[in-house]
Amino acid sequence: MRVPAVTAAVGLIAEACGNPPFTTHDRDTRKAQKGHPSYEMIHREASPWTRVELRELLTRDALLCDHGFA
């Protein structure tokens, strides 16, 4: 992150990935699954981050460290 161009590019990509809505869908019916454990993790249990901040951090880690584990 010492190169300004890399910092700007990673920030732009991470912010773009953090903004879209996140919904867990059933594979067969494509209906939203609000009772799924991943829904709870992303929307409520990602403390101390908001869901947008969590996805930005995961994306940034994936781009810079080859992984983005939650």
Side-chain angles (χ1 to χ4, degrees), residues 2-66:
R2 295 182 205 163
V3 179
V6 173
T7 303
V10 168
L12 184 66
I13 294 168
E15 288 174 13
C17 290
N19 287 332
F22 178 83
T23 308
T24 303
H25 293 274
D26 184 87
R27 289 184 187 200
D28 299 324
T29 63
R30 301 298 297 161
K31 291 185 179 182
Q33 300 293 311
K34 292 187 177 182
H36 195 274
S38 67
Y39 183 91
E40 293 295 319
M41 181 185 78
I42 295 297
H43 290 307
R44 293 189 182 91
E45 296 178 7
S47 224
W49 307 287
T50 65
R51 61 188 167 111
V52 173
E53 291 171 334
L54 175 65
R55 290 192 312 211
E56 286 180 13
L57 289 170
L58 290 173
T59 303
R60 186 170 284 126
D61 286 347
L63 290 171
L64 295 174
C65 304
D66 295 330

